[in-house]
Amino acid sequence: MARYKIAVIPGDGVGPEVIREGIKVLRATAEVTDGLDIEFVEFPYGAEHYLRTKKLIPEDALKELSKMDAIYLGALGDPRVPTGVLEQGILLKLRFYFDQYVNLRPVKLYPGVPCPLVGKGPEDVNFFVVRENTEDFYVALGGRAKGKSRAELDLLRSLFSAKFKLDIDVDRDEIAYQMGVISRKGSERAIRYAFELARKKGKRRVTSVDKANVLTYAYGLWREAFELVARDYPGIETEHAFVDAVTMWFLKNPEWYQVVVTPNMFGDIITDLGAMIQGGLGLAPGGNINPEGVSMFEPIHGSVPKHAGKNIVNPIAAILAGQMMLVTLGEQRAADRIEKAVVEVLREGKVRTYDLGGKSSTSEVGDAVVRKIENK
Ligand code: IPM
Ligand code: MN
């Protein structure tokens, strides 16, 4: 009997309404799966909690979360809180604290889902983006300077720590600077995950995406790491691509891509593009994965404040995030039940939210998926 304790952080905006549907689906799945039991423990972190208490996510909450089997997250971000505060203080905090070094984002177009690419169908859009999730420009090191000044920047990571002491002399205008940091080990582990994934999923090619022609130091190291790891996988074809070119090729020839691995920031950008070619943000899930620790699953869309509380947004991204959570926990059979149910609902096309041209509500889509699961 497998019993899992899942931390739920519904978060802000539409987060709670999509997570509610995801939980409904996970409960129904546990119900029909012998030996699967899921307990949900809710945590209040997000805008409301922050505005009330001035706290983002306290240390004892992090301790509490580390006892869980996984975290299921809605969305963070609220117009009443300055931009970045909740995202950095909660979402990125969790990714770094739990060293969730892979952000796995499947780009998969399901049958019956409208694709904005003319002439492309489900057989053409089916790949994975493995986004390194703890480094690059996301380390949040930087500052502003005018005239003469000094700065000490500290970076503390599970793999390494680094101190930068800067002596800055700016002659006229004010400047701002921001550092991206790439580590050899940090790159290698994300890249290795991508190759292992390719092997497991029967994919033949891994594409590394960077901008090593301009950001030569950081992405030069990334490339070296890629070359080194690739040597352990002689059966898998490899290539490098520049991120600007990839935004073009994702649209022109999505069928070329099988597994894409890329540093944090480019991964952020190209997975929103990936979401569009799989039918929109309403369908795109992501997993923040630490294969040896606590992983966190979320729809990749944001909190969409303008739609909050209306019960109209698509819960499928959140439902599929729950499905990815089961895969990572090793419950493949249960996960397949969810994916199959989603596929059926999408293929029938009777119950769909506005983003897919329908009129159904968030909860009606959740109910439809649950009914498919119960029928089996
Ligand atoms: C994402 C989001 C986050 C990111 C934001 C909210 C910090 O855009 O998960 O892709 O940039 O990683
Ligand atoms: Mn993003």
Side-chain angles (χ1 to χ4, degrees):
M1 178 81 172
R3 201 156 198 284
Y4 299 101
K5 256 183 133 166
I6 304 299
V8 181
I9 307 178
D12 306 326
V14 300
E17 42 202 289
V18 296
I19 285 298
R20 190 177 310 130
E21 300 314 308
I23 290 177
K24 221 191 240 176
V25 169
L26 286 164
R27 284 217 162 101
T29 306
E31 199 64 46
V32 299
T33 307
D34 282 339
L36 176 63
D37 188 31
I38 308 176
E39 183 193 339
F40 297 95
V41 185
E42 195 167 317
F43 291 79
Y45 306 108
E48 290 296 342
H49 181 264
Y50 175 69
L51 291 168
R52 218 174 46 240
T53 64
K54 291 279 152 263
K55 295 214 166 59
L56 287 159
I57 187 153
E59 198 60 35
D60 56 322
L62 293 167
K63 295 247 158 62
E64 205 51 46
L65 288 169
S66 49
K67 294 182 211 145
M68 303 283 161
D69 293 298
I71 303 169
Y72 191 37
L73 174 78
L76 291 160
D78 186 293
R80 294 167 297 171
V81 181
T83 189
V85 170
L86 300 163
E87 293 90 331
Q88 298 229 354
I90 302 177
L91 178 60
L92 298 182
K93 175 83 188 179
L94 287 165
R95 287 179 183 170
F96 299 159
Y97 183 88
F98 290 109
D99 203 20
Q100 293 158 346
Y101 61 84
V102 161
N103 196 326
L104 178 61
R105 298 186 163 182
V107 179
K108 186 168 180 180
L109 175 64
Y110 288 108
V113 173
C115 174
L117 304 180
V118 177
K120 302 291 181 191
E123 60 294 344
D124 302 307
V125 183
N126 186 10
F127 61 94
F128 294 93
V129 177
V130 174
R131 165 185 175 189
E132 197 290 324
N133 209 30
T134 61
E135 302 191 342
D136 201 15
F137 283 108
Y138 278 70
V139 296
L141 286 186
R144 291 188 179 203
K146 206 173 174 178
K148 284 184 198 291
S149 64
R150 274 168 192 280
E152 278 203 23
L153 308 176
D154 283 341
L155 179 56
L156 183 63
R157 281 290 182 274
S158 66
L159 289 175
F160 68 95
S161 67
K163 252 191 199 346
F164 301 88
K165 296 191 181 178
L166 303 181
D167 229 322
I168 310 169
D169 190 349
V170 188
D171 72 342
R172 273 170 300 234
D173 200 14
E174 182 186 20
I175 63 159
Y177 56 97
Q178 183 116 23
M179 293 205 306
V181 176
I182 296 281
S183 77
R184 189 179 290 279
K185 283 232 162 59
S187 304
E188 278 176 19
R189 63 183 185 174
I191 293 164
R192 191 168 295 283
Y193 185 95
F195 277 94
E196 286 295 327
L197 182 72
R199 197 176 251 177
K200 203 163 78 206
K201 299 285 178 184
K203 303 277 190 193
R204 295 177 316 278
R205 181 183 308 113
V206 177
T207 304
S208 167
V209 172
D210 64 33
K211 188 76 187 175
N213 49 344
V214 178
L215 288 91
T216 49
Y217 300 105
Y219 303 137
L221 180 56
W222 170 271
R223 279 199 177 200
E224 267 179 48
F226 184 78
E227 297 295 336
L228 194 84
V229 174
R231 273 196 237 144
D232 294 339
Y233 301 85
I236 295 175
E237 201 185 301
T238 62
E239 63 175 358
H240 294 285
F242 295 130
V243 65
D244 48 348
V246 154
T247 62
M248 176 178 74
W249 292 114
F250 270 16
L251 303 189
K252 204 162 177 329
N253 292 113
E255 64 280 2
W256 177 258
Y257 296 97
Q258 306 210 348
V259 174
V260 171
V261 64
T262 184
N264 211 342
M265 172 115 125
F266 297 148
D268 176 44
I269 297 166
I270 66 174
T271 52
D272 269 22
L273 180 60
M276 286 320 291
I277 65 175
Q278 72 187 110
L281 280 162
L283 292 158
N288 303 273
I289 297 175
N290 176 340
E292 295 88 41
V294 179
S295 299
M296 175 167 76
F297 299 84
E298 52 173 337
I300 82 173
H301 64 69
S303 58
V304 213
K306 67 173 182 207
H307 290 335
K310 296 188 190 155
N311 197 28
I312 60 167
V313 298
N314 196 341
I316 288 182
I319 291 169
L320 289 173
Q323 183 263 348
M324 288 181 75
M325 178 162 74
L326 290 183
V327 173
T328 308
L329 291 170
E331 299 294 335
Q332 185 69 50
R333 211 163 51 92
D336 289 346
R337 285 199 153 112
I338 296 181
E339 188 176 27
K340 218 160 150 231
V342 167
V343 165
E344 280 173 33
V345 169
L346 287 172
R347 191 187 298 125
E348 285 177 9
K350 285 187 292 214
V351 184
R352 31 176 74 179
T353 42
Y354 78 92
D355 55 315
L356 298 178
K359 289 199 172 69
S360 310
S361 66
T362 308
S363 45
E364 281 164 349
V365 173
D367 290 342
V369 175
V370 165
R371 273 197 304 276
K372 293 291 179 201
I373 288 168
E374 286 171 346
N375 279 345
K376 297 288 135 66

